[in-house]
Amino acid sequence: AQTVTQSQPEMSVQEAETVTLSCTYDTSESDYYLFWYKQPPSRQIILVIRQEAYKQQNATENRFSVNFQKAAKSFSLKISDSQLGDAAMYFCAYSVQGGSEKLVFGKGTKLTVNP
Amino acid sequence: GAVVSQHPSRVICKSGTSVKIECRSLDFQATTMFWYRQFPKQSLMLMATSNEGSKATYEQGVEKDKFLINHASLTLSTLTVTSAHPEDSSFYICSALGTVTWPYEQYFGPGTRLTVT
């Protein structure tokens, strides 16, 4: 069974600084998708970034980028120039077929951004 | 675009009664919707996958007779918690699968807080 592990229950960062959230996963599949989702205090879950396992190039979305290490089964999220609005719970997730199959979520990392 | 709504946002019901939660895709059609449960300060656990016009597929350990799912149209899925008990109190979140572009993406509703007294 696929599992997703986030070893950092909480992280904090100063505004404008950079922070990296860690995620590891376990799967026997060769083709899959990895995601980072954000759940702010409003509880609305939003997709931050997605990585297809067959792509060697790390995904980037503005201030958000990932470090995807397929052999190590590691998928970390880097947030640059952190903003107060980045404060949220961040979930790492895995899916076999993009979003069309079930998402397996990690336990989440609560990110606090200090002014 | 790709907005998913849930109704109600918050509901309180008495033990033994049933409560229905609606999930709607407002600006797209979704043949597949998912229902998740989130306990306080915990992650999301998939309860079931709902496909329009067919029976839902439940995850292991989820009581299908207790959590009734109906996906009657391409924009609406409902979750009915039957004979609710305090242990059913939780945050329920739905998502709808957008299939316009590949890879497909799940769009999440804002969630429903259920409290059973």
Side-chain angles (χ1 to χ4, degrees), chain B:
Chain B
V3 178
V4 176
S5 70
Q6 278 185 244
H7 178 79
S9 59
R10 186 181 295 262
V11 59
I12 301 172
C13 70
K14 292 186 182 295
S15 185
T17 63
S18 297
V19 61
K20 180 185 287 187
I21 302 170
E22 293 185 348
C23 177
R24 292 182 185 273
S25 55
L26 298 184
D27 50 1
F28 67 103
Q29 295 183 329
T31 55
T32 302
M33 292 185 177
F34 302 87
W35 287 95
Y36 297 86
R37 184 172 179 177
Q38 185 176 31
F39 289 101
K41 298 183 179 180
Q42 293 192 26
S43 188
L44 285 78
M45 296 293 294
L46 179 68
M47 299 175 64
T49 302
S50 165
N51 290 295
E52 188 267 337
S54 64
K55 291 184 178 180
T57 302
Y58 291 82
E59 293 298 300
Q60 192 172 9
V62 177
E63 299 176 61
K64 60 181 67 176
D65 293 332
K66 180 169 190 58
F67 298 100
L68 300 179
I69 292 172
N70 183 24
H71 196 153
S73 77
L74 290 173
T75 59
L76 173 64
S77 176
T78 59
L79 167 68
T80 301
V81 183
T82 62
S83 186
H85 291 284
E87 57 265 31
D88 299 324
S89 298
S90 192
F91 194 66
Y92 293 87
I93 303 173
C94 73
S95 70
L97 185 65
T99 58
V100 174
T101 57
W102 180 262
Y104 299 155
E105 181 175 339
Q106 291 187 33
Y107 298 96
F108 288 83
T112 296
R113 164 77 62 199
L114 170 63
T115 303
V116 185
T117 61

Side-chain angles (χ1 to χ4, degrees), chain A residues 16 78 83 111:
Chain A
K78 185 172 81 172
Q83 300 175 0
L111 178 66

Side-chain angles (χ1 to χ4, degrees), chain A residues 35-93:
Chain A
F35 308 81
W36 279 98
Y37 285 93
K38 170 184 178 180
Q39 186 179 39
S42 68
R43 308 296 296 270
Q44 175 71 59
I45 294 172
I46 304 165
L47 176 64
V48 175
I49 199 165
R50 169 176 51 213
Q51 174 79 42
E52 289 106 299
Y54 67 87
K55 290 187 177 179
Q56 293 186 341
Q57 187 171 6
N58 289 324
T60 62
E61 287 287 342
N62 301 313
R63 298 183 294 107
F64 300 87
S65 62
V66 300
N67 184 3
F68 174 49
Q69 302 290 326
K70 191 172 184 179
K73 295 181 179 175
S74 169
F75 182 62
S76 61
L77 174 70
K78 185 172 81 172
I79 305 174
S80 303
D81 186 25
S82 297
Q83 300 175 0
L84 295 177
D86 295 332
M89 183 72 81
Y90 286 82
F91 292 102
C92 179

